[in-house]
Amino acid sequence: MSASAEVLSQAFTLGYTYTRSTGPVVGRFLTALRDRKIVGIKGSDGKVIVPPMEWDPVTAEALSDFVDLPDTGVVKSWAWVKHPRGKHPLDKPFAWAQIQFDGADIPMIHCVDAGDESAMKAGMRVKVRWAEETIGSINDIACFDPA
Amino acid sequence: MRDIAIVSFVQSDCVRDAGAQNEVELIMPVLRKALDAAGIQSAQDVDFTCSGSCDYLQGAAFAFVSGVDPLGAVPPIKESHVEMDAAWALYEAVLKITMGQAESALVYGFGKSSPGELPIVLSQQLDPYYMAPLWLDSISTAALQARTMLDNGDITEKDMAEVVARSRKNAKSNPHAQLKGDVSVDELLAEPTYLSPLRKHDCCPVSDGACAMVVATVEKAKEWGKPYAVLKGIDHRIESHNFGARDLTQSPSTQAAAKSAGVANGPVEVAEIYAPFSHQEIILKRALGLGDDTVVNPSGGVLAGNLMMASGLSRIGEVAMRIIRGDIKRGIAHATSGHALQQNLVAVLEEA
């Protein structure tokens, strides 16, 4: 060992040497989002589920019957975030909501930019506000606007 | 199932911030006391050890391995871990004993939640494509559930405040509780909303701490010569990860687990229920089929202090110790995991 303060170093780039596929169901939904479209799937009982699930939530049957839907829907339940957290999708007070797309039977959770808590109520109509750039992610839906 | 003896149980104080104490330092005192109470020396004296914790709280893969350090695992022991509340570690120990592979087991759970932003950390329990990227936190999902119940007329805000007032009052006799005291329903309802419709007191606090339990076959417990409570039944069930596909106002998984564990096979004197949010206690009380003659959460429950990954085992331990002390003859305990009561475990305990 020499007395000099030599520090051994080596450049290192953390890389994942594999790619992960989101598969035929989740992938189809995310790809549709990239194209600014909403796709649902029919459950075993015929109910339309958005976002599509790979397996039926009750019977666990594999699902594959896709349905195209509009980008509008109805708020079923909501919660008002008075103090948004750093990671939250909006940096001002907003609502989380269970939103049922028109033509769907099962609601999904996303956020609504309603401005004020008093503007929120169950049954209100909302419409997707698309992100400026869509990449095939749930965040391609920037939020929902009251419609 | 065969009867299992719960021989000892110890829980630490629930503290908002354990400061410089690491997980090993949180675990060691409760392990020591639980082993002493069972009259044994170390993990070498049981056939199996199982812990419950969550690597996400520590923010490092395989962080749970440091939780094995307090055991002194040399010479090698038979050991396992669940990335869940330690109530599920107990479930694994029960299976191990039922299979005849162990006659005794040490079970423990620990969580130091204070260093992180717990509700955001828990958002990563959700569907990785549809919900986790939104950072949908655990308070928000509970708030959506509470709103659905309020809008349906299933509960009122006053019902929720009553749960909180009773929790704080009961916690006065629990030396480990973090939040306790006399507070009126009117005072609680006068507080502003935090994540509407929830007020801050509707949400369990963030706590650091640990708990430990020693269980054995009834034969082994008799050999040790220690008093014990009998675990008569235990079961757990899960619901869909898709909130929309669930009826959030009910808990069918709790109902199914309660039926299978045998809750209705006798009177329920005490029920310790893991309800991190006030409205959830009401859902669970209904799902468990409890009447007004059952004392719910005499410890104050988790609204008085919530040790992530240990609170579920603590519910079982609270009931077990009441039986061991001779206060009651029969009680039930419940543990939950995931958002908005997704997964639920129910245990039935009786006197020996």
Side-chain angles (χ1 to χ4, degrees), chain B residues 249-267:
Chain B
T249 69
Q250 317 260 340
S251 185
S253 54
T254 300
Q255 220 169 349
K259 191 169 181 223
S260 166
V263 167
N265 294 348

Side-chain angles (χ1 to χ4, degrees), chain B residues 59-125:
Chain B
F62 290 90
F64 72 90
V65 175
S66 70
V68 179
D69 285 348
L71 295 171
V74 177
I77 57 171
K78 283 185 193 156
E79 180 269 336
S80 182
H81 172 264
V82 294
E83 189 76 10
M84 308 180 80
D85 187 287
W88 277 267
L90 171 65
Y91 189 86
E92 184 174 337
V94 167
L95 291 182
K96 206 84 172 172
I97 293 172
T98 306
M99 288 188 294
Q101 294 189 359
E103 291 187 343
S104 58
L106 169 65
V107 181
Y108 62 102
F110 58 97
K112 189 176 178 187
S113 302
S114 59
E117 190 180 355
L118 184 61
I120 286 291
V121 172
L122 296 178
S123 74
Q124 301 307 290
Q125 291 181 312

